[in-house]
Amino acid sequence: MLRNIASYSTLTLTILTLLYVSFQSNETIDLSKYSTEGLDLNYTVSIDVSQTELKKESNDSFSPYLGKSFVGFKEAIAFKESGGDYNSVNTYGYLGKYQFGTETLKMIGINNPAKFLKNPKLQEKAFIANAARNKWILRRDIKNFVGKRINGIIVTESGILAAAHLAGPGSVKKYLRSYGLDNFADGYGTTVHYYMKRFSGYDTSFVKPNKKAKAI
């Protein structure tokens, strides 16, 4: 009993001593070096954006962690084509998030480019319809060339479909069947080979080959 009392007394005395030393110390923590005064702060969201706008943006945005999924595939192409901007029109007149030409739009049932540009849902349908049509046109080439190496890269179905989106299925056929010698480049110098490489290895099984695919 006496030993326990002595232990508690020693512990209490130690605590009191530490508190006394702490209060007697003149040293203070300088927090001034942590100040943000004078810094040009780079906020990701404007402070005047309403909560409604933030919620809508959150619901409409895709996750950045899409991996090699089909959604990852189409969003990667969209980012390369337009930065993902539905309203984009380039210097050659290609339209929307995926940069469609008017002739390609006609082939998938879209005859009003102005309305197409203002309709994000239609643009998404157009991408899938065009991919399905290209997959049908290139079905034999997909069967014959996927897994082979051309110009140092392994040919994949997603690479073929991406290149067809860039240059049309005819240019992709020429590239594959010439084993890379006929390498079409668009007006900005982007080649079939570049798209075959950049967009290789995605899962495009979602796209079903369809000769008569339409967006409308």
Side-chain angles (χ1 to χ4, degrees):
M1 182 68 177
L2 292 174
R3 181 179 298 176
N4 291 339
I5 294 173
S7 299
Y8 290 136
S9 298
T10 301
L11 178 61
T12 303
L13 182 61
T14 301
I15 293 172
L16 290 174
T17 301
L18 290 172
L19 289 173
Y20 176 80
V21 171
S22 175
F23 285 119
Q24 290 299 313
S25 173
N26 291 324
E27 182 180 358
T28 58
I29 300 174
D30 181 12
L31 297 176
S32 63
K33 62 182 178 180
Y34 300 105
S35 173
T36 59
E37 183 178 357
L39 294 179
D40 184 13
L41 300 180
N42 183 19
Y43 293 102
T44 57
V45 179
S46 173
I47 58 176
D48 59 354
V49 174
S50 71
Q51 291 299 313
T52 302
E53 289 173 319
L54 287 174
K55 184 176 181 181
K56 181 179 184 302
E57 180 68 20
S58 176
N59 290 338
D60 290 346
S61 298
F62 288 103
S63 165
Y65 305 105
L66 299 172
K68 291 291 187 176
S69 67
F70 175 72
V71 175
F73 171 70
K74 72 183 186 66
E75 292 304 308
I77 289 179
F79 185 80
K80 176 64 177 68
E81 292 284 343
S82 70
D85 182 5
Y86 286 110
N87 300 307
S88 175
V89 180
N90 76 5
T91 53
Y92 293 96
Y94 286 83
L95 306 166
K97 179 178 176 179
Y98 300 102
Q99 295 292 278
F100 278 99
T102 54
E103 293 304 312
T104 300
L105 290 177
K106 288 179 183 177
M107 287 188 287
I108 54 176
I110 298 171
N111 297 300
N112 191 323
K115 287 186 177 180
F116 169 78
L117 196 60
K118 296 176 181 178
N119 191 333
K121 289 184 178 180
L122 184 57
Q123 292 188 35
E124 296 297 336
K125 289 179 180 180
F127 180 84
I128 295 172
N130 189 54
R133 180 177 175 276
N134 287 337
K135 192 168 182 177
W136 185 87
I137 295 171
L138 292 163
R139 63 196 185 283
R140 292 189 181 90
D141 298 275
I142 290 171
K143 180 179 179 180
N144 293 333
F145 287 98
V146 165
K148 293 184 178 179
R149 187 179 294 272
I150 296 178
N151 282 344
I153 65 166
I154 299 295
V155 176
T156 65
E157 181 179 285
S158 63
I160 289 175
L161 293 180
H165 181 84
L166 170 78
S171 295
V172 176
K173 281 186 179 184
K174 291 177 182 178
Y175 175 85
L176 293 172
R177 296 178 188 186
S178 69
Y179 282 84
L181 294 177
D182 192 334
N183 187 19
F184 171 89
D186 71 2
Y188 298 107
T190 306
T191 64
V192 167
H193 170 79
Y194 176 76
Y195 262 46
M196 293 273 287
K197 181 179 180 180
R198 176 157 183 172
F199 300 107
S200 67
Y202 285 88
D203 180 5
T204 51
S205 59
F206 173 83
V207 179
K208 307 304 178 185
N210 184 352
K211 180 181 180 180
K212 299 179 180 180
K214 302 293 182 184
I216 296 177

